[in-house]
Coordinates of all heavy atoms in Angstrom, one line a residue:
V1347 N 22.8 19.5 36.0 CA 23.2 20.8 35.4 C 22.7 22.0 36.2 O 23.4 22.9 36.5 CB 22.8 20.9 34.0 CG1 23.1 22.2 33.4 CG2 23.4 19.7 33.2
E1348 N 21.5 21.9 36.7 CA 20.9 23.0 37.4 C 21.6 23.2 38.8 O 21.8 24.3 39.3 CB 19.4 22.8 37.6 CG 18.6 22.8 36.3 CD 17.1 22.6 36.5 OE1 16.7 22.3 37.7 OE2 16.4 22.8 35.5
L1349 N 21.9 22.0 39.4 CA 22.5 22.0 40.7 C 23.9 22.7 40.7 O 24.3 23.5 41.5 CB 22.7 20.6 41.3 CG 23.4 20.5 42.6 CD1 22.5 21.2 43.7 CD2 23.5 19.0 43.0
R1350 N 24.6 22.4 39.6 CA 25.9 23.1 39.5 C 25.8 24.6 39.2 O 26.6 25.4 39.7 CB 26.7 22.4 38.3 CG 27.1 21.0 38.7 CD 27.8 20.4 37.5 NE 28.3 19.1 37.8 CZ 28.9 18.3 36.9 NH1 29.1 18.7 35.7 NH2 29.3 17.1 37.3
K1351 N 24.7 24.9 38.5 CA 24.5 26.3 38.2 C 24.2 27.1 39.5 O 24.7 28.2 39.8 CB 23.3 26.5 37.3 CG 23.0 27.9 36.9 CD 21.8 28.0 36.0 CE 21.4 29.4 35.7 NZ 20.2 29.6 34.9
F1352 N 23.4 26.4 40.4 CA 23.1 27.0 41.7 C 24.4 27.2 42.6 O 24.6 28.2 43.3 CB 22.0 26.2 42.5 CG 20.7 26.4 41.9 CD1 19.8 25.3 41.8 CD2 20.2 27.6 41.4 CE1 18.5 25.4 41.3 CE2 18.9 27.7 40.9 CZ 18.1 26.6 40.8
E1353 N 25.3 26.2 42.5 CA 26.5 26.3 43.3 C 27.4 27.4 42.8 O 28.0 28.1 43.6 CB 27.3 24.9 43.1 CG 26.6 23.8 43.9 CD 27.3 22.5 43.7 OE1 28.3 22.4 42.8 OE2 27.0 21.5 44.4
R1354 N 27.4 27.6 41.5 CA 28.2 28.7 41.0 C 27.7 30.1 41.4 O 28.4 31.0 41.8 CB 28.3 28.7 39.4 CG 29.2 27.6 38.9 CD 29.5 27.8 37.4 NE 28.3 27.8 36.6 CZ 27.8 26.8 36.1 NH1 28.3 25.5 36.2 NH2 26.7 26.9 35.3
D1355 N 26.3 30.2 41.3 CA 25.7 31.4 41.8 C 25.9 31.7 43.3 O 26.2 32.8 43.7 CB 24.2 31.4 41.5 CG 23.9 31.4 40.0 OD1 24.8 31.8 39.2 OD2 22.8 31.0 39.6
A1356 N 25.9 30.6 44.0 CA 26.2 30.8 45.5 C 27.6 31.2 45.8 O 27.8 32.1 46.6 CB 25.9 29.4 46.2
R1357 N 28.5 30.6 45.0 CA 29.9 31.1 45.2 C 30.1 32.5 44.8 O 30.8 33.3 45.5 CB 30.9 30.2 44.4 CG 31.1 28.8 45.1 CD 32.3 28.1 44.5 NE 32.1 27.9 43.1 CZ 31.6 26.8 42.5 NH1 31.2 25.8 43.3 NH2 31.5 26.7 41.2
A1358 N 29.5 32.9 43.8 CA 29.6 34.3 43.3 C 29.0 35.3 44.3 O 29.5 36.3 44.6 CB 29.0 34.4 41.9
T1359 N 27.8 34.8 44.8 CA 27.2 35.7 45.8 C 28.0 35.8 47.1 O 28.1 36.9 47.7 CB 25.8 35.1 46.2 OG1 25.0 35.0 45.0 CG2 25.1 35.9 47.2
R1360 N 28.7 34.7 47.5 CA 29.6 34.7 48.7 C 30.8 35.6 48.5 O 31.2 36.4 49.4 CB 30.0 33.3 49.1 CG 30.8 33.2 50.4 CD 31.0 31.8 50.9 NE 31.6 31.0 49.9 CZ 30.9 30.0 49.3 NH1 29.6 29.8 49.5 NH2 31.5 29.2 48.3
V1361 N 31.4 35.5 47.3 CA 32.5 36.4 47.1 C 32.1 37.9 47.1 O 32.8 38.7 47.6 CB 33.1 36.0 45.7 CG1 34.2 37.1 45.3 CG2 33.7 34.6 45.8
L1362 N 30.9 38.1 46.4 CA 30.5 39.5 46.4 C 30.2 40.0 47.8 O 30.5 41.1 48.2 CB 29.2 39.5 45.5 CG 28.6 40.9 45.3 CD1 29.6 41.9 44.7 CD2 27.3 40.8 44.5
H1363 N 29.6 39.1 48.7 CA 29.3 39.5 50.1 C 30.6 39.8 50.8 O 30.7 40.8 51.6 CB 28.5 38.3 50.7 CG 28.2 38.6 52.2 ND1 29.0 38.2 53.2 CD2 27.1 39.3 52.7 CE1 28.5 38.5 54.3 NE2 27.3 39.2 54.1
E1364 N 31.6 38.9 50.6 CA 32.8 39.1 51.4 C 33.5 40.4 50.9 O 34.1 41.2 51.7 CB 33.8 38.0 51.1 CG 33.3 36.7 51.8 CD 34.2 35.5 51.4 OE1 35.1 35.7 50.6 OE2 34.0 34.4 52.0
T1365 N 33.3 40.7 49.6 CA 33.9 42.0 49.1 C 33.2 43.2 49.7 O 33.9 44.2 50.2 CB 33.8 42.1 47.6 OG1 34.5 41.0 47.0 CG2 34.4 43.4 47.0
F1366 N 31.9 43.1 49.8 CA 31.1 44.2 50.4 C 31.5 44.4 51.9 O 31.7 45.5 52.4 CB 29.6 44.0 50.3 CG 29.1 44.3 48.9 CD1 28.1 43.5 48.3 CD2 29.6 45.4 48.2 CE1 27.6 43.8 47.0 CE2 29.1 45.7 46.9 CZ 28.1 44.9 46.3
V1367 N 31.6 43.2 52.6 CA 32.0 43.3 54.0 C 33.4 43.9 54.2 O 33.6 44.8 55.1 CB 31.9 41.9 54.7 CG1 32.5 41.9 56.1 CG2 30.5 41.4 54.7
S1368 N 34.3 43.6 53.4 CA 35.7 44.1 53.4 C 35.7 45.6 53.2 O 36.3 46.4 53.9 CB 36.6 43.4 52.4 OG 37.9 44.0 52.4
R1369 N 34.9 46.0 52.2 CA 34.9 47.4 51.9 C 34.2 48.2 53.0 O 34.6 49.3 53.3 CB 34.1 47.7 50.6 CG 34.8 47.1 49.3 CD 36.0 48.0 49.0 NE 36.7 47.5 47.9 CZ 36.4 47.8 46.6 NH1 35.4 48.7 46.4 NH2 37.1 47.4 45.6
M1370 N 33.2 47.6 53.6 CA 32.5 48.3 54.7 C 33.5 48.4 56.0 O 33.5 49.5 56.6 CB 31.3 47.5 55.1 CG 30.4 48.2 56.2 SD 28.8 47.4 56.3 CE 29.2 45.7 56.7
K1371 N 34.3 47.4 56.2 CA 35.3 47.6 57.3 C 36.3 48.7 57.0 O 36.7 49.4 57.9 CB 36.0 46.2 57.5 CG 35.1 45.2 58.1 CD 35.9 43.9 58.3 CE 35.0 42.8 58.9 NZ 35.8 41.5 59.1
E1372 N 36.7 48.7 55.7 CA 37.7 49.8 55.4 C 37.1 51.2 55.6 O 37.7 52.1 56.1 CB 38.2 49.6 53.9 CG 39.0 48.4 53.7 CD 39.4 48.2 52.3 OE1 39.0 49.1 51.5 OE2 40.1 47.3 51.9
A1373 N 35.8 51.3 55.2 CA 35.1 52.6 55.3 C 35.0 52.9 56.8 O 35.2 54.1 57.2 CB 33.8 52.6 54.7
A1374 N 34.7 52.0 57.7 CA 34.6 52.2 59.1 C 35.9 52.7 59.7 O 36.0 53.5 60.6 CB 34.1 50.9 59.8
V1375 N 37.0 52.0 59.2 CA 38.4 52.4 59.7 C 38.7 53.8 59.3 O 39.2 54.6 60.1 CB 39.4 51.4 59.2 CG1 40.8 52.0 59.5 CG2 39.2 50.0 59.8
Q1376 N 38.4 54.2 58.1 CA 38.7 55.6 57.6 C 37.8 56.6 58.4 O 38.3 57.7 58.8 CB 38.4 55.7 56.1 CG 39.4 54.9 55.3 CD 39.1 55.0 53.8 OE1 38.1 55.6 53.4 NE2 40.0 54.3 53.0
Q1377 N 36.6 56.3 58.6 CA 35.8 57.2 59.4 C 36.2 57.3 60.8 O 36.2 58.4 61.4 CB 34.3 56.7 59.4 CG 33.3 57.6 60.0 CD 31.9 57.1 59.9 OE1 31.7 55.9 59.5 NE2 30.9 57.9 60.4
G1378 N 36.7 56.3 61.4 CA 37.3 56.4 62.8 C 38.5 57.2 62.9 O 38.8 57.9 63.9
A1379 N 39.3 57.1 61.8 CA 40.6 57.9 61.8 C 40.3 59.4 61.8 O 41.0 60.2 62.2 CB 41.5 57.5 60.7
Q1380 N 39.2 59.8 61.1 CA 38.8 61.2 61.0 C 38.1 61.7 62.2 O 37.9 62.9 62.3 CB 38.0 61.4 59.7 CG 38.8 61.1 58.5 CD 38.0 61.2 57.2 OE1 36.8 61.5 57.3 NE2 38.6 61.0 56.1
T1381 N 37.6 60.9 63.1 CA 36.9 61.3 64.3 C 37.8 61.8 65.4 O 38.7 61.0 65.7 CB 36.0 60.2 64.8 OG1 35.1 59.8 63.7 CG2 35.2 60.7 66.0
P1382 N 37.8 63.1 65.9 CA 38.7 63.5 67.0 C 38.5 62.7 68.3 O 37.4 62.3 68.6 CB 38.3 65.0 67.2 CG 36.9 65.1 66.7 CD 36.8 64.1 65.6
D1383 N 39.7 62.6 69.0 CA 39.7 61.9 70.3 C 39.5 62.8 71.5 O 39.5 62.3 72.6 CB 41.1 61.2 70.5 CG 41.3 60.1 69.4 OD1 40.3 59.6 69.0 OD2 42.5 59.8 69.1
S1384 N 39.4 64.2 71.3 CA 39.2 65.1 72.4 C 38.0 66.0 72.1 O 37.6 66.0 71.0 CB 40.5 66.0 72.5 OG 40.7 66.7 71.4
R1385 N 37.6 66.7 73.2 CA 36.5 67.6 73.0 C 36.7 68.8 73.8 O 37.5 68.8 74.8 CB 35.2 66.9 73.4 CG 35.2 66.4 74.8 CD 34.0 65.4 75.1 NE 33.9 65.0 76.4 CZ 33.3 65.6 77.4 NH1 32.6 66.7 77.1 NH2 33.2 65.1 78.6
I1386 N 36.0 69.9 73.5 CA 36.2 71.2 74.1 C 35.4 71.2 75.4 O 34.2 70.9 75.4 CB 35.7 72.3 73.2 CG1 36.6 72.4 71.9 CG2 35.8 73.6 73.9 CD1 36.2 73.4 70.9
I1387 N 36.0 71.4 76.5 CA 35.4 71.5 77.8 C 34.9 73.0 78.0 O 33.8 73.2 78.4 CB 36.3 71.1 79.0 CG1 36.7 69.6 78.7 CG2 35.6 71.2 80.3 CD1 35.6 68.6 78.7
S1388 N 35.9 73.9 77.9 CA 35.6 75.4 78.0 C 36.4 76.2 77.0 O 37.5 75.8 76.6 CB 35.9 75.8 79.5 OG 37.2 75.7 79.8
A1389 N 35.9 77.3 76.7 CA 36.6 78.2 75.7 C 37.9 78.8 76.3 O 37.9 79.1 77.5 CB 35.7 79.3 75.2
A1390 N 39.0 78.9 75.5 CA 40.3 79.5 76.0 C 40.1 81.0 76.3 O 39.4 81.7 75.5 CB 41.4 79.2 75.0
T1391 N 40.9 81.5 77.3 CA 40.9 82.9 77.6 C 42.2 83.5 76.9 O 43.2 82.8 76.7 CB 41.0 83.1 79.1 OG1 42.2 82.5 79.6 CG2 39.8 82.6 79.8
P1392 N 42.2 84.8 76.6 CA 43.3 85.5 75.9 C 44.6 85.4 76.8 O 44.5 85.6 78.1 CB 42.9 86.9 75.7 CG 41.4 86.8 75.7 CD 41.0 85.7 76.6
G1393 N 45.8 85.1 76.3 CA 47.0 84.9 77.1 C 47.7 86.2 77.3 O 47.4 87.2 76.7
K1394 N 48.7 86.3 78.3 CA 49.5 87.4 78.5 C 51.0 87.0 78.7 O 51.2 85.9 79.1 CB 49.1 88.2 79.7 CG 49.1 87.5 81.0 CD 48.7 88.3 82.2 CE 48.7 87.6 83.5 NZ 48.3 88.4 84.6
Q1395 N 52.0 87.9 78.4 CA 53.4 87.6 78.5 C 53.8 87.5 79.9 O 53.6 88.4 80.7 CB 54.3 88.6 77.8 CG 55.7 88.3 77.8 CD 56.5 89.3 77.0 OE1 55.9 90.1 76.2 NE2 57.8 89.4 77.2
V1396 N 54.5 86.4 80.3 CA 55.0 86.1 81.6 C 56.5 86.4 81.7 O 57.0 87.0 82.6 CB 54.6 84.7 82.1 CG1 55.2 84.5 83.5 CG2 53.1 84.5 82.1
A1397 N 57.3 85.9 80.7 CA 58.7 86.0 80.7 C 59.1 86.2 79.2 O 58.5 85.6 78.3 CB 59.4 84.8 81.4
P1398 N 60.2 86.9 79.0 CA 61.0 87.8 79.9 C 60.2 89.0 80.3 O 59.4 89.5 79.6 CB 62.2 88.1 79.2 CG 61.8 88.1 77.7 CD 60.8 87.0 77.6
R1399 N 60.5 89.6 81.5 CA 59.8 90.8 82.0 C 60.5 92.0 81.4 O 61.4 92.5 82.0 CB 59.9 90.8 83.6 CG 59.2 89.5 84.2 CD 59.4 89.5 85.7 NE 58.7 90.6 86.3 CZ 58.6 90.7 87.7 NH1 59.3 89.9 88.4 NH2 58.0 91.7 88.2
S1400 N 60.0 92.4 80.3 CA 60.7 93.5 79.6 C 60.7 94.8 80.3 O 61.7 95.6 80.2 CB 60.0 93.7 78.2 OG 58.6 93.9 78.4
G1401 N 59.6 95.1 81.1 CA 59.6 96.4 81.8 C 60.7 96.4 82.9 O 61.4 97.4 83.0
L1402 N 60.9 95.3 83.6 CA 61.9 95.3 84.6 C 63.3 95.3 84.0 O 64.2 96.0 84.5 CB 61.8 94.0 85.5 CG 62.8 93.7 86.6 CD1 62.8 94.9 87.6 CD2 62.6 92.4 87.2
I1403 N 63.5 94.6 82.9 CA 64.8 94.7 82.2 C 65.1 96.1 81.7 O 66.2 96.6 81.9 CB 64.7 93.7 81.0 CG1 64.6 92.2 81.5 CG2 66.0 93.9 80.1 CD1 64.5 91.2 80.4
K1404 N 64.1 96.8 81.2 CA 64.4 98.2 80.8 C 64.7 99.1 81.9 O 65.7 99.9 81.9 CB 63.1 98.7 80.1 CG 62.9 98.1 78.7 CD 61.6 98.7 78.1 CE 61.3 98.0 76.7 NZ 60.1 98.5 76.1
F1405 N 64.0 98.9 83.1 CA 64.3 99.7 84.3 C 65.7 99.5 84.8 O 66.5 100.4 85.1 CB 63.3 99.4 85.4 CG 63.5 100.1 86.7 CD1 63.3 101.4 86.8 CD2 64.1 99.4 87.8 CE1 63.5 102.1 88.0 CE2 64.3 100.0 89.0 CZ 64.0 101.4 89.1
L1406 N 66.1 98.2 84.9 CA 67.4 97.8 85.4 C 68.5 98.3 84.4 O 69.6 98.7 84.8 CB 67.5 96.3 85.6 CG 66.7 95.7 86.7 CD1 66.9 94.2 86.7 CD2 67.0 96.3 88.0
G1407 N 68.2 98.3 83.1 CA 69.1 98.8 82.1 C 69.4 100.3 82.3 O 70.5 100.8 82.2
V1408 N 68.3 101.1 82.6 CA 68.5 102.5 82.8 C 69.3 102.8 84.0 O 70.2 103.6 84.0 CB 67.1 103.2 82.9 CG1 67.2 104.6 83.4 CG2 66.3 103.1 81.6
I1409 N 69.0 102.0 85.1 CA 69.8 102.2 86.4 C 71.3 101.8 86.1 O 72.2 102.6 86.5 CB 69.2 101.3 87.5 CG1 67.8 101.7 87.8 CG2 70.1 101.3 88.7 CD1 67.7 103.1 88.4
A1410 N 71.6 100.7 85.4 CA 72.9 100.3 85.2 C 73.6 101.3 84.3 O 74.8 101.7 84.5 CB 73.0 98.9 84.5
G1411 N 72.9 101.9 83.3 CA 73.6 102.9 82.5 C 73.9 104.2 83.2 O 75.0 104.7 83.0
A1412 N 73.0 104.6 84.1 CA 73.2 105.8 84.9 C 74.4 105.6 85.8 O 75.2 106.5 86.0 CB 72.0 106.2 85.6
A1413 N 74.5 104.4 86.4 CA 75.6 104.1 87.4 C 76.9 104.1 86.6 O 77.9 104.6 87.1 CB 75.3 102.8 88.1
S1414 N 76.9 103.5 85.5 CA 78.1 103.5 84.7 C 78.6 104.9 84.3 O 79.8 105.2 84.3 CB 78.0 102.6 83.4 OG 77.6 101.3 83.8
G1415 N 77.6 105.7 83.8 CA 78.0 107.0 83.4 C 78.5 107.8 84.6 O 79.5 108.6 84.5
L1416 N 77.9 107.7 85.8 CA 78.3 108.4 87.0 C 79.7 108.0 87.3 O 80.6 108.8 87.7 CB 77.4 108.2 88.1 CG 77.7 108.9 89.4 CD1 77.7 110.4 89.3 CD2 76.7 108.5 90.5

Side-chain angles (χ1 to χ4, degrees):
V1347 175
E1348 293 179 357
L1349 179 60
R1350 288 178 179 177
K1351 180 182 178 183
F1352 287 141
E1353 288 178 353
R1354 286 195 301 270
D1355 292 341
R1357 284 196 298 270
T1359 301
R1360 186 169 52 250
V1361 171
L1362 183 60
H1363 178 268
E1364 291 176 354
T1365 301
F1366 283 144
V1367 171
S1368 176
R1369 293 291 180 88
M1370 188 168 53
K1371 289 181 179 181
E1372 291 177 1
V1375 170
Q1376 291 179 357
Q1377 185 178 6
Q1380 295 176 359
T1381 303
D1383 296 331
S1384 61
R1385 60 193 180 91
I1386 298 175
I1387 303 299
S1388 62
T1391 58
K1394 62 179 180 179
Q1395 182 177 344
V1396 177
R1399 302 174 64 180
S1400 57
L1402 179 60
I1403 292 175
K1404 291 179 181 178
F1405 175 75
L1406 293 178
V1408 172
I1409 296 298
S1414 300
L1416 181 60

